[in-house]
Amino acid sequence: MSAIANAPAHDHHDDHGHHHKETFITKYIFSQDHKMIAKQYLITGLIMGIIGIAMSILFRIQLAWPEQSFWIFEALLGKWAPDGVMTPSIYLALVTIHGTIMVFFVLTAGLSGTFSNLLIPLQIGARDMASGFLNMVSYWLFFLSSVIMISSLFVEAGPASAGWTIYPPLSALPQAIGGSGMGMTLWLVSMAIFIASSLLGSLNYIVTVINLRTEGMSMTRLPLTIWAFFVTAIIGVVSFPVLLSAALLLIMDRSFGTSFFLSDIFIQGEVLSHQGGSPVLFEHLFWFLGHPEVYIVILPALGITSEIIATNSRKPIFGYRAMVASILAIAFLSTIVWGHHMFVSGMNPFLGSVFTFTTLLIAIPSAVKAFNYITTLWKGNLQMNPAMLFSIGLVSTFITGGLTGIILGDSTLDINVHDTYFVVAHFHLVMGISALYGLFAGVYHWFPKMFGRMLNKNLGYVHFWVTAVGAYGIFFPMHFIGIAGLPRRYYTNTEFPYFDDYADVNVIITVAAIITAAVQLVFLYNFFASIFYGKKAVQNPWRSNTLEWTTPVEHIHGNWPGAIPSVYRWAYDYSKTNEDGEYVIKGQDFVPQTVPLQDKEEELNH
């Protein structure tokens, strides 16, 4: 359906806000306005992020100073830390819930939920999402799943303790360990609801991008942010149902006596009745989501980075079509590489070589993106604001973290470092820190659009530099202890004299983690204080081309008063000159998408 054919639908939507008076409940809680839902996702994601980071600090303290007593353990963990000494079971539970919260609730929902909601209607020229009601439902399902996940921390036997990958048999047998009981059940229920939320959101994003683009907004004029969100939603629709099926089969194994993932099992000499299942089947199902999940997390961050680097370099993005092609290639390849997580599971060596090939292949579109960012930055008129710094930081961590992926993607090399801190260092840099940088960059860039005020730039600089140094301080040393063979998820290594020499490295990592976590308080203060006391924003503070900066600073339901603007050019006409060498708009180094092409002006669309 063409964008023009949909224009009447836009106009019908136009006076939607005038039909009824909005109450506090309908405006701020059960809102169907995409801009308010974006804020709800962001603030919920930040709260979940605080909880996830706090957990990581607790288990990092345990790793740095094992068997020492800490009052904070006793205060926060209660019976799980008698006399201030953390028990092995709560250590594993903290690692499990930290991983789950950060991957799904912060980086998936907090990043994609926030910016897909905020930017898709604004940047394509739509009044709102295709379905405001489904959008609201998707947020509240996410909120419900967050509450259930946090509530699992308070059950008597302890929260889920099978690692964030919840491999059977630990996750399939309620009687296996304390964390295999009610905590594991709540984990599965929470994830099932989270997946329902994600699918509703993704379908809404896809339909909105296809059907509700304004007149002139062809697919080749879409900003790269929208391409990234659009393709991310498609990956989610393809891969999330597979994890849902795995979770449902796991619930059946736990509660209804089936044996999908369980074979011959003995517990304390007792022979259980399970037979015929395979825990490796669960690994296949989990990682068929688990690897596309990496790109569900990182693609929105890369899309945000594309927009911010072009805007703050005052240059057109280099190789627009190559960037779109790389997003599509990453999406396709991400679904055929999951086996590289399973090289040590007894996989046939030939199959291992196939997964090695597809894994190394995905480095090509990833490298295209990195080189295109660097080329965009080259000889640009760089505006070094906090959003730009975090975007450049993302390019840095994406490259350094990606390089170690070449080692882990090779089946013969991976065997040596599998399940060591080398793996932890790799995925935290390439996925975790890179995506967090994308989240921060997006917040600094679009905060004026969300709240009508500016963040404090100096606090933003402090936040970036301490975070950037601290993140490398945490994860760079992990590569070395990983190569030395230090295994992940062990709550202490004091039983292994071989690792005594690396005890000091763990202390360095923990100190860096505490400093990095502490500086996030600067960001939180800046964020919440600026909502109320920040300097009032002008309509287009970054002198940007995209459509969201043509809407008024004060939010209205429907985005634009009057008609929706038409689009005449792509989103990256920065520093564009005419035949005389003058800027297309005199004295202005940017040309908004709403400005018609002038006589003899060539439309760029590299």
Side-chain angles (χ1 to χ4, degrees):
M1 195 183 292
S2 74
I4 301 171
N6 271 280
H10 287 215
D11 295 332
H12 166 73
H13 224 16
D14 187 13
D15 43 39
H16 173 70
H18 305 298
H19 294 326
H20 55 86
K21 182 87 173 119
E22 284 195 311
T23 64
F24 180 85
I25 300 282
T26 58
K27 185 172 183 182
Y28 293 105
I29 300 176
F30 296 112
S31 175
Q32 295 186 30
D33 180 5
H34 70 100
K35 300 181 290 297
M36 183 57 65
I37 293 171
K39 293 179 195 175
Q40 291 174 325
Y41 266 110
L42 178 58
I43 290 172
T44 311
L46 288 176
I47 292 167
M48 294 298 282
I50 293 165
I51 296 168
I53 290 171
M55 288 179 175
S56 69
I57 296 303
L58 290 177
F59 63 69
R60 280 291 351 152
I61 291 172
Q62 164 64 27
L63 285 169
W65 300 285
E67 296 169 10
Q68 286 192 32
S69 175
F70 291 94
W71 66 267
I72 195 167
F73 287 176
E74 197 162 16
L76 293 177
L77 303 176
K79 69 173 184 177
W80 304 109
D83 300 322
V85 179
M86 188 183 289
T87 62
S89 57
I90 197 63
Y91 173 85
L92 187 54
L94 288 172
V95 171
T96 300
I97 305 298
H98 161 78
T100 305
I101 284 176
M102 297 308 287
V103 170
F104 295 110
F105 293 86
V106 179
L107 299 179
T108 301
L111 182 62
S112 194
T114 299
F115 293 105
S116 295
N117 264 306
L118 177 70
L119 295 177
I120 287 176
L122 285 170
Q123 289 196 339
I124 68 171
R127 295 287 182 203
D128 206 319
M129 284 289 176
S131 171
F133 176 75
L134 282 184
N135 206 13
M136 176 189 77
V137 171
S138 77
Y139 167 72
W140 281 104
L141 286 174
F142 163 60
F143 182 81
L144 177 62
S145 69
S146 303
V147 170
I148 293 172
M149 186 60 70
I150 298 306
S151 68
S152 75
L153 297 169
F154 301 99
V155 298
E156 190 174 355
S161 305
W164 79 277
T165 55
I166 59 158
Y167 284 170
L170 270 184
S171 58
L173 294 168
Q175 68 270 46
I177 57 174
S180 299
M182 177 57 78
M184 191 71 239
T185 302
L186 289 172
W187 192 100
L188 290 165
V189 171
S190 171
M191 285 310 301
I193 296 170
F194 176 88
I195 292 165
S197 158
S198 177
L199 289 174
L200 285 178
S202 295
L203 291 170
N204 219 347
Y205 306 150
I206 292 166
V207 172
T208 305
V209 171
I210 291 174
N211 282 340
L212 297 185
R213 301 190 308 279
T214 189
E215 187 177 353
M217 181 63 84
S218 63
M219 294 298 279
T220 53
R221 285 178 177 166
L222 286 176
L224 288 170
T225 34
I226 303 302
W227 270 108
F229 299 146
F230 177 59
V231 172
T232 298
I234 293 170
I235 303 174
V237 169
V238 168
S239 57
F240 263 118
V242 181
L243 181 63
L244 181 60
S245 68
L248 293 176
L249 295 179
L250 197 51
I251 289 169
M252 292 175 76
D253 274 9
R254 289 170 59 80
S255 305
F256 301 108
T258 57
S259 298
F260 291 107
F261 306 130
L262 293 169
S263 189
D264 307 330
I265 299 276
F266 293 78
I267 288 189
Q268 295 176 342
E270 177 196 352
V271 183
L272 302 187
S273 58
H274 297 285
Q275 58 181 21
S278 167
V280 174
L281 170 61
F282 180 87
E283 291 190 38
H284 280 291
L285 293 173
F286 180 89
W287 287 114
F288 190 82
L289 160 89
H291 201 81
E293 170 65 20
V294 171
Y295 295 98
I296 290 171
V297 163
I298 196 64
L299 277 180
L302 292 171
I304 287 167
T305 296
S306 301
E307 179 67 26
I308 292 172
I309 284 182
T311 301
N312 290 298
S313 297
R314 314 310 295 167
K315 276 178 65 181
I317 193 83
F318 183 86
Y320 174 87
R321 290 176 188 271
M323 292 289 255
V324 171
S326 71
I327 291 172
L328 295 170
I330 284 171
F332 171 70
L333 290 170
S334 72
T335 61
I336 53 172
V337 299
W338 78 90
H340 68 219
H341 295 272
M342 300 169 56
F343 286 146
V344 299
S345 65
M347 180 184 286
N348 182 305
F350 174 73
L351 188 58
S353 69
V354 172
F355 280 120
T356 297
F357 175 71
T358 56
T359 302
L360 298 181
L361 211 55
I362 210 167
I364 297 170
S366 301
V368 166
K369 297 196 81 62
F371 284 122
N372 282 23
Y373 291 139
I374 293 167
T375 318
T376 305
L377 291 165
W378 179 250
K379 292 190 175 177
N381 177 19
L382 304 185
Q383 317 291 306
M384 286 299 189
N385 52 46
M388 181 66 152
L389 289 172
F390 274 110
S391 297
I392 294 171
L394 183 151
V395 178
S396 166
T397 53
F398 188 63
I399 293 170
T400 50
L403 287 171
T404 53
I406 296 170
I407 295 168
L408 295 170
D410 188 302
S411 53
T412 47
L413 295 174
D414 174 69
I415 289 167
N416 300 288
V417 289
H418 185 85
D419 255 348
T420 68
Y421 272 93
F422 191 88
V423 180
V424 178
H426 158 74
F427 77 77
H428 274 85
L429 275 180
V430 79
M431 182 181 99
I433 297 297
S434 296
L436 271 179
Y437 282 179
L439 174 65
F440 289 138
V443 170
Y444 281 105
H445 189 73
W446 281 290
F447 189 88
K449 182 49 49 191
M450 296 180 90
F451 298 103
R453 293 182 182 268
M454 304 296 288
L455 285 164
N456 183 305
K457 192 187 278 190
N458 291 330
L459 290 179
Y461 290 141
V462 171
H463 178 216
F464 169 74
W465 285 111
V466 179
T467 302
V469 174
Y472 274 127
I474 298 165
F475 298 112
F476 196 71
M478 279 190 194
H479 291 93
F480 299 103
I481 59 176
I483 289 171
L486 195 71
R488 62 193 287 204
R489 294 188 186 152
Y490 282 30
Y491 94 117
T492 176
N493 299 294
T494 50
E495 301 298 318
F496 309 101
Y498 173 73
F499 296 126
D500 287 350
D501 292 343
Y502 303 104
D504 291 343
V505 181
N506 257 331
V507 173
I508 292 167
I509 292 170
T510 299
V511 170
I514 292 169
I515 293 169
T516 309
V519 84
Q520 306 317 309
L521 297 175
V522 174
F523 167 73
L524 290 171
Y525 167 77
N526 193 4
F527 181 87
F528 287 107
S530 297
I531 290 174
F532 301 103
Y533 307 113
K535 187 176 130 196
K536 288 206 167 168
V538 296
Q539 186 175 19
N540 189 356
W542 314 120
R543 297 174 299 134
S544 192
N545 290 338
T546 40
L547 285 179
E548 75 269 28
W549 304 107
T550 64
T551 62
V553 177
E554 295 76 23
H555 288 173
I556 54 171
H557 200 146
N559 295 334
W560 286 269
I564 295 176
S566 297
V567 165
Y568 301 96
R569 58 182 71 233
W570 72 328
Y572 300 104
D573 275 341
Y574 291 103
S575 302
K576 189 178 184 186
T577 54
N578 55 30
E579 290 174 330
D580 307 328
E582 296 283 333
Y583 288 137
V584 171
I585 300 177
K586 199 166 182 183
Q588 184 172 301
D589 67 348
F590 66 104
V591 191
Q593 287 186 279
T594 53
V595 175
L597 289 171
Q598 299 185 359
D599 289 342
K600 298 182 182 175
E601 186 190 350
E602 204 178 321
E603 182 175 7
L604 296 176
N605 207 350
H606 331 236

